[in-house]
């Protein structure tokens, strides 16, 4: 069955860097759109970065210029490179990918990972 597993979270000082990884099993990241979301305490889950099916990308204004989303097709792994981290980046980070439909179509519903904690102090 489909499973997304995030890793790479941890504690880091402001200005530092982290690289988050999301490994997919039973699913091919190359087919549909995929991205990273985060949820801070007391706040709603929000989009951080998204890579569309055509591989174009978008970033929330709060992380633009600091975060980079990449996809390794060989390893079937999605990454989020985070630089110049701020305390406001503290949150649980989730990876997600659109579910596949028939004949290489992509659905609006998503597969979700369990999340990885990022704490910036």
């Amino acid at each position: 069955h489909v499973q997304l597993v995030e890793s790479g979270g941890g504690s880091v000082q402001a200005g530092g860097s982290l690289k988050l990884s999301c490994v997919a099993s039973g699913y091919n990241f190359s087919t549909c759109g995929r991205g990273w979301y985060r949820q801070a305490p007391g706040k709603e889950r929000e989009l951080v970065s998204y890579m569309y099916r055509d591989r174009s990308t978008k970033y929330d204004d709060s992380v633009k210029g600091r975060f980079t989303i990449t996809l390794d097709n060989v390893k079937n792994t999605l990454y989020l490179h985070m630089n110049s981290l701020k305390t406001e980046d503290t949150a649980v980070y989730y990876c997600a990918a659109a579910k596949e439909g028939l004949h290489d179509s992509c659905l609006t519903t998503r597969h979700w990972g369990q999340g990885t904690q990022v704490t910036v102090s």
Side-chain angles (χ1 to χ4, degrees), residues 6-113:
E6 303 97 333
S7 63
S11 298
V12 64
Q13 289 185 297
S17 301
L18 283 174
K19 183 179 75 175
L20 305 184
S21 301
C22 179
V23 179
S25 60
Y27 179 86
N28 191 340
F29 265 134
S30 298
T31 304
C32 301
R34 69 299 276 176
W36 289 92
Y37 299 75
R38 67 186 180 187
Q39 186 168 22
K43 296 184 178 181
E44 296 291 329
R45 185 179 300 177
E46 65 177 1
L47 174 69
V48 177
S49 180
Y50 201 84
M51 180 183 290
Y52 296 98
R53 189 176 185 179
D54 66 359
R55 301 299 177 88
S56 62
T57 59
K58 72 173 181 180
Y59 299 87
D60 183 81
D61 288 340
S62 66
V63 306
K64 192 171 297 182
R66 300 188 298 118
F67 291 10
T68 303
I69 186 171
T70 61
L71 176 65
D72 187 325
N73 293 119
V74 176
K75 296 182 179 179
N76 200 29
T77 301
L78 184 71
Y79 299 97
L80 183 67
H81 306 264
M82 306 186 294
N83 298 315
S84 302
L85 284 163
K86 305 175 180 179
T87 55
E88 304 93 276
D89 296 318
T90 296
V92 176
Y93 284 70
Y94 302 87
C95 68
K99 294 182 178 180
E100 300 175 344
L102 299 175
H103 302 107
D104 295 324
S105 65
C106 299
L107 308 179
T108 57
T109 53
R110 298 178 176 85
H111 296 291
W112 291 91

